[in-house]
Amino acid sequence: MAGAKPEKPPLDLVHQNAIHVETIRKEQRSQKLHTQFSISPHKKLHVMSDKPMSKKVQEVDEEDAAFIKAFHTARLEPTKKYTHPQTESQEIGWISTPLIVSDRSDRRLHFHRRSSEVTKYMETASRFSK
């Protein structure tokens, strides 16, 4: 066979162990130890109430301020959460403030409905033709 690669000799245990040690060392470099856990603010919480006829009084736990803040932050619009768009789709409409101040009395930009003699005549004519 022309162009066939020669077979590699099988690795012995020393080489396999060296590859394994290098792999573990690379994995440990990128690992991060997490010691603080909390409920994800991105998931909805379903609080179940007691049965209506139960005599047991429900105990109220103290609210965790950090969790409440994270919960409300997760529910904000993207423009309030981030300073810049995170995806290409968010770039469309990210800046939603108008370019000029809207002035309703400016006749150049706002064309209000007006009536003249001709429009009044055509309006009455269209009412009678029906």
Side-chain angles (χ1 to χ4, degrees):
M1 290 183 168
K5 293 183 180 179
E7 292 185 24
K8 293 183 180 179
L11 297 175
D12 58 352
L13 290 176
V14 175
H15 287 107
Q16 286 180 351
N17 190 31
I19 292 171
H20 187 63
V21 168
E22 183 182 354
T23 305
I24 290 173
R25 192 176 306 128
K26 286 180 180 178
E27 287 176 357
Q28 286 178 341
R29 250 187 283 156
S30 64
Q31 284 181 347
K32 182 180 178 185
L33 181 64
H34 295 280
T35 57
Q36 210 173 16
F37 300 99
S38 66
I39 298 172
S40 173
H42 302 289
K43 295 197 177 213
K44 292 186 178 180
L45 295 176
H46 298 287
V47 178
M48 300 293 288
S49 62
D50 287 339
K51 294 180 180 178
M53 300 303 288
S54 69
K55 303 220 182 225
K56 182 171 73 171
V57 178
Q58 200 174 34
E59 297 176 13
V60 178
D61 295 334
E62 292 182 20
E63 295 178 348
D64 184 17
F67 174 74
I68 301 282
K69 183 180 178 188
F71 184 79
H72 289 298
T73 306
R75 297 287 190 265
L76 289 175
E77 299 92 32
T79 53
K80 293 180 182 175
K81 269 197 262 188
Y82 311 111
T83 57
H84 300 291
Q86 302 295 305
T87 62
E88 291 288 324
S89 297
Q90 287 179 345
E91 288 182 6
I92 300 170
W94 187 263
I95 301 172
S96 59
T97 56
L99 297 175
I100 60 172
V101 179
S102 178
D103 184 15
R104 298 299 242 168
S105 63
D106 189 3
R107 293 178 62 189
R108 296 175 297 171
L109 300 174
H110 296 283
F111 306 101
H112 298 290
R113 190 174 198 184
R114 296 175 185 225
S115 58
S116 65
E117 293 177 13
V118 175
T119 56
K120 286 179 185 177
Y121 171 76
M122 289 307 295
E123 188 177 325
T124 55
S126 65
R127 284 185 189 164
F128 287 120
S129 66
K130 290 182 182 179

